[in-house]
Amino acid sequence: MSTEKASRTEPGGSAASASTYHHGNLREALIAEGLALAAEGGLDAVSIREVARRAGVSPGAPFRHFPDKVALMTAVAEEAMARFRAEIVMSLQRETSDDPIRRIRAIGKAFLDWARRNPTHFEIISSRRVIDFAGSASLGADNAQIQAQMVSLLEEAARRGLLRIDDPRLIQITGRALVYGLARMLIDGQFPSWGVAETEAEALMERSLDLFLAGLLKAPTSGDPGRS
Amino acid sequence: MSTEKASRTEPGGSAASASTYHHGNLREALIAEGLALAAEGGLDAVSIREVARRAGVSPGAPFRHFPDKVALMTAVAEEAMARFRAEIVMSLQRETSDDPIRRIRAIGKAFLDWARRNPTHFEIISSRRVIDFAGSASLGADNAQIQAQMVSLLEEAARRGLLRIDDPRLIQITGRALVYGLARMLIDGQFPSWGVAETEAEALMERSLDLFLAGLLKAPTSGDPGRS
DNA sequence: AATGGAATGTAATCGATGATTACATGATCG
DNA sequence: CGATCATGTAATCATCGATTACATTCCATT
């Protein structure tokens, strides 16, 4: 009917025939647009229709690839989680020390940094109302991998007799809850009402992490725990 | 036009003339229905139209009392926050000990208990995307009050030489982030993927709080900090 | 007490969204 | 070459937040 079809931009440059009825790789494009939209305008800015609009496709097209919005957001979350985990892995590679506490700290720092730089992506991964965590093997696997990494470091720390209290699982969950809480407080915009300026948020979160780690250790340090 | 007007149920029984054109106390009724709806079906269940429906009023009526949805949710948050603070005050009255650490623990416990029992109300208070925190004097005042309470207890603890690191503000924010993170992890449904069953969540959160408090203290305790 | 203005509620409507259905197109493989 | 199936379109629905014009009631001034 419409003789003119809107020119379809192919940002990725991946193999896709231009101006065809079929998109070529709509699924990936939708996920990419979902991530971009989230990064730009927050969670509420991500709508199926807008994602479709950006991909140059009709509002109903996404439903060919995802049964509902939760499924789309879950796919977006999988991509976000993959990037998150990649950043944690990289931070561990950068931390050359084999001191388990320093490596734990690196993970915590990477967690906080990523959440601060990708607030909405962090929100998508976290909120189980938007995604179907249980229905994604990828999310579960990435999560389990990070957990395992953490537990083994804590066990190593306990083996070396560094910890005041030897309960790796409890410490893991407590530490997780701390960084999770710091990240969410920042993202939820709570720091202003706690007298914390935007500019000092990063430093504060780091000191907060150090305070917690110091509390775990036998040796009474202050601030940076273990400077090799 | 319609000769029959739907019978208007008045659940509260407060002074309100039945079957009149004017509701009598719509504003309060809307807030109450908002709280109830949130408690029943989560954040997404709260819509202006449904709240109006429950109050037996037309879909546009709420806009006479609140300029937009954020304003309504902010009013709901104010009520929720008042209840939250009341519970904290009560927990402090129940804690007869004057040991600041025990009193701090009571606050943390009350925080966790309330969040666990009122997950959506906690979410409403927390999420600055749904409410206008800055625009509410009530929310700010309640928040400041809780903060002040906490800081004074920490200063008292420092005065008694109980703390390893004397930095009340840092400790306050770190502790807040911990309980905030624990509450959100529970509410966001993350514990299952962390191998924590529903039934053990409460005990775990308590032990987590104790782990943190133990880390703050000079004396190396394990578990319950300071048993008078 | 009467009356006129202010407060409060209704009805109708708009644009956006998630979702479904019937239909159109074209890629793929026999 | 042609049939089948994946993929995209068009049209449609219900719900939601929000706005506007209108109706009703309360209340204060006279």
Side-chain angles (χ1 to χ4, degrees), chain A residues 23-162:
Chain A
H23 184 283
N25 54 348
L26 222 204
R27 190 190 155 91
E28 291 176 25
L30 292 173
I31 295 173
E33 296 295 348
L35 280 166
L37 220 41
E40 294 170 22
L43 239 188
D44 297 332
V46 185
S47 75
I48 289 189
R49 299 179 96 99
E50 181 60 26
V51 162
R53 216 169 288 142
R54 290 227 193 172
V57 103
S58 80
F63 290 93
R64 290 289 169 194
H65 298 272
F66 304 98
D68 54 21
K69 190 178 183 181
V70 169
L72 168 58
M73 296 308 285
T74 302
V76 171
E78 286 173 354
E79 174 62 25
M81 174 71 101
R83 296 183 186 182
F84 174 50
R85 186 165 154 264
E87 199 152 308
I88 286 186
V89 169
M90 273 190 51
S91 79
L92 274 179
Q93 288 174 343
R94 265 197 304 270
E95 177 57 74
T96 54
S97 165
D98 74 330
D99 175 4
I101 298 298
R102 294 202 61 153
R103 299 187 76 76
I104 287 169
R105 186 182 189 282
I107 293 178
K109 187 75 172 61
F111 184 107
L112 294 175
D113 285 346
W114 187 80
R116 185 166 36 81
R117 286 201 297 264
N118 308 279
T120 306
H121 294 172
F122 175 78
E123 210 177 347
I124 290 174
I125 287 182
S126 307
S127 166
R128 300 297 151 84
R129 200 179 72 248
V130 180
I131 69 174
D132 176 21
F133 187 93
S136 163
S138 159
L139 286 174
D142 280 340
N143 200 46
Q145 186 102 13
I146 296 173
Q147 285 183 231
Q149 184 79 264
M150 196 74 189
V151 165
S152 81
L153 285 171
L154 281 166
E155 286 172 345
E156 173 63 19
R159 217 173 295 126
R160 297 192 188 184
L162 301 174

Side-chain angles (χ1 to χ4, degrees), chain B:
Chain B
M1 309 311 172
S2 62
T3 55
E4 291 215 351
K5 187 146 299 189
S7 67
R8 187 164 302 137
T9 54
E10 290 287 350
S14 53
S17 50
S19 75
T20 55
Y21 188 84
H22 284 82
H23 183 283
N25 54 349
L26 222 204
R27 190 190 155 91
E28 289 177 25
L30 293 173
I31 295 174
E33 296 296 348
L35 280 166
L37 221 41
E40 293 170 22
L43 239 188
D44 297 333
V46 185
S47 74
I48 287 189
R49 299 179 96 99
E50 181 60 25
V51 162
R53 215 169 289 142
R54 291 227 194 172
V57 105
S58 80
F63 290 93
R64 290 289 170 193
H65 298 272
F66 304 99
D68 53 21
K69 189 177 183 180
V70 169
L72 168 58
M73 297 308 285
T74 302
V76 171
E78 286 173 355
E79 174 62 26
M81 173 71 101
R83 296 184 186 182
F84 173 50
R85 186 164 155 265
E87 200 152 310
I88 286 185
V89 168
M90 273 190 51
S91 79
L92 273 179
Q93 288 175 343
R94 264 197 303 271
E95 178 56 75
T96 54
S97 166
D98 73 330
D99 176 5
I101 298 298
R102 294 202 61 152
R103 299 187 75 77
I104 287 169
R105 185 182 189 281
I107 293 179
K109 186 75 169 64
F111 185 108
L112 294 174
D113 285 346
W114 187 79
R116 184 167 37 79
R117 287 202 297 263
N118 308 278
T120 307
H121 293 172
F122 176 77
E123 210 176 347
I124 290 175
I125 286 183
S126 307
S127 166
R128 302 295 152 86
R129 199 179 71 249
V130 181
I131 68 174
D132 176 22
F133 187 92
S136 163
S138 159
L139 286 174
D142 281 339
N143 199 48
Q145 186 103 13
I146 296 172
Q147 284 183 232
Q149 184 81 263
M150 196 74 188
V151 166
S152 80
L153 285 171
L154 281 167
E155 286 171 344
E156 173 63 19
R159 217 172 295 126
R160 298 193 189 184
L162 301 173
L163 303 180
R164 281 176 116 183
I165 298 176
D166 181 11
D167 189 339
R169 185 172 107 115
L170 181 62
I171 294 177
Q172 179 198 23
I173 291 180
T174 305
R176 160 74 178 205
L178 174 64
V179 292
Y180 191 81
L182 284 170
R184 280 219 86 111
M185 282 182 70
L186 176 69
I187 290 167
D188 293 347
Q190 299 214 350
F191 279 153
S193 55
W194 283 77
V196 178
E198 285 267 348
T199 53
E200 49 174 346
E202 181 179 0
L204 176 82
M205 290 163 81
E206 197 165 338
R207 288 202 301 142
S208 199
L209 176 59
D210 283 334
L211 173 68
F212 171 70
L213 292 176
L216 294 179
L217 302 179
K218 277 181 178 164
T221 64
S222 74
D224 195 337
R227 250 193 156 237
S228 98

Side-chain angles (χ1 to χ4, degrees), chain A residues 8 10 17-25:
Chain A
R8 187 163 303 137
E10 290 287 351
S17 50
S19 75
T20 55
Y21 187 86
H22 284 74
H23 184 283
N25 54 348

